[in-house]
Amino acid sequence: MGEIAQKEVASRLRDRMGMDPSDRAADLQTVNAFFPLLPFYLGTRADPRGMPLGNQHLALNKMAKYVAKRGRHTMPFKRERARRTPTRMVILWDVSGSMMSDVDRYLPWIASLTAMRSRVGVFLFSTRLVDATREFRLPYTEMRTRLLQLTALWSGGTLLGAALETWLLQYATSWLGNDTTVFILSDGWDVGPPERVGDALRSMFSVSRRIYWLHPYLNTEGFSPETRSLKMALPFLRRLLPCDTQEALMHLARAVVI
């Protein structure tokens, strides 16, 4: 990419990232309506303690204490809210040219997740894959500056299969487990062989069954998953979910509960 093209991409990114350089990570609480929901729903699993009773658990320890204290043969049914435990979360974000117009929507959402959770890995990809987890742990201003330096990544085509293969080879041992929730944020356009996408997701699916594809055009009238890569991916996805608006991202907090 030439110098002029890089400057143009950097300028577009500054516009799309949307927040003034003086803004801090804490300001995400005021700009994102979905921020308060994230710590309670996304990327959690039910705690194995207790017996399931609808959406609640029987509080067996409380019931036993009641009987021991009062010496009765009958015990009341005491219930407690089911506990949820955060799990590892991986976000694979397609930042190619076709996804660039939505940077201002997804960047605060991902920054919110990493601000609230300690085990969130963020990986950006287009024709190559970059681990941006450390960048998303920085204060918002510094994170924004670091991401702007990756101008070559934020344009061009998408090699989705190659990116997934790279992630499996370099990062799966640290991030992928049976409790990992994987989000693939992409429109599905891919210039590489679609079979590589299917093979990579098959390997991922053999370890974790919690793979979600977030598609920006899923709510578009008449949409159907026609891209070859997306068709190859469908058998290995738990759900295909929309992410075209902030409201859709808010619904993720309720849709993705393990």
Side-chain angles (χ1 to χ4, degrees), residues 88-157:
R88 285 176 291 187
M89 187 186 303
V90 171
I91 301 172
L92 296 162
W93 182 12
D94 180 354
V95 295
S96 61
S98 61
M99 292 285 291
M100 193 171 178
S101 60
D102 298 317
V103 170
D104 56 337
R105 182 182 306 123
Y106 305 131
L107 185 67
W109 179 69
I110 297 173
S112 299
L113 285 172
T114 55
M116 297 304 299
R117 294 285 176 81
S118 59
R119 297 195 295 171
V120 178
V122 184
F123 302 86
L124 313 182
F125 69 90
S126 56
T127 55
R128 61 190 179 94
L129 180 125
V130 172
D131 183 359
T133 304
R134 289 186 178 181
E135 282 75 8
F136 275 88
R137 295 293 179 197
L138 299 172
Y140 193 90
T141 304
E142 190 174 352
M143 176 197 72
R144 185 174 177 271
T145 302
R146 293 282 188 90
L147 293 179
L148 284 171
Q149 296 172 359
L150 301 174
T151 52
L153 189 68
W154 294 83
S155 60

Side-chain angles (χ1 to χ4, degrees), residues 135-242:
E135 282 75 8
F136 275 88
R137 295 293 179 197
L138 299 172
Y140 193 90
T141 304
E142 190 174 352
M143 176 197 72
R144 185 174 177 271
T145 302
R146 293 282 188 90
L147 293 179
L148 284 171
Q149 296 172 359
L150 301 174
T151 52
L153 189 68
W154 294 83
S155 60
T158 311
L159 291 174
L160 181 55
L164 294 175
E165 290 175 354
T166 300
W167 187 85
L168 285 170
L169 288 172
Q170 298 184 9
Y171 304 104
T173 53
S174 300
W175 286 100
L176 189 60
N178 59 8
D179 67 339
T180 303
T181 304
V182 179
F183 293 105
I184 301 173
L185 179 53
S186 174
D187 57 7
W189 291 105
D190 184 17
V191 298
E195 294 78 15
R196 298 180 71 177
V197 176
D199 292 342
L201 286 177
R202 183 180 292 106
S203 298
M204 194 180 296
F205 184 77
S206 66
V207 181
S208 173
R209 303 299 175 94
R210 303 181 179 106
I211 305 173
Y212 298 86
W213 190 301
L214 310 183
H215 201 293
Y217 305 125
L218 189 61
N219 281 337
T220 303
E221 185 177 356
F223 171 85
S224 62
E226 294 296 335
T227 61
R228 295 182 302 164
S229 294
L230 190 52
K231 285 183 176 179
M232 294 295 294
L234 285 175
F236 310 107
L237 304 179
R238 175 170 284 193
R239 290 187 68 180
L240 182 64
L241 296 168

Side-chain angles (χ1 to χ4, degrees), residues 37-38 40-45 84 87 89 109 117 180-183 210-214 238-242 248-258:
L37 297 174
L38 297 179
F40 303 108
Y41 294 99
L42 274 179
T44 63
R45 59 178 171 81
R84 303 199 67 82
T87 65
M89 187 186 303
W109 179 69
R117 294 285 176 81
T180 303
T181 304
V182 179
F183 293 105
R210 303 181 179 106
I211 305 173
Y212 298 86
W213 190 301
L214 310 183
R238 175 170 284 193
R239 290 187 68 180
L240 182 64
L241 296 168
L249 292 172
M250 289 175 64
H251 286 305
L252 287 180
R254 296 180 176 87
V256 186
V257 178
I258 300 168

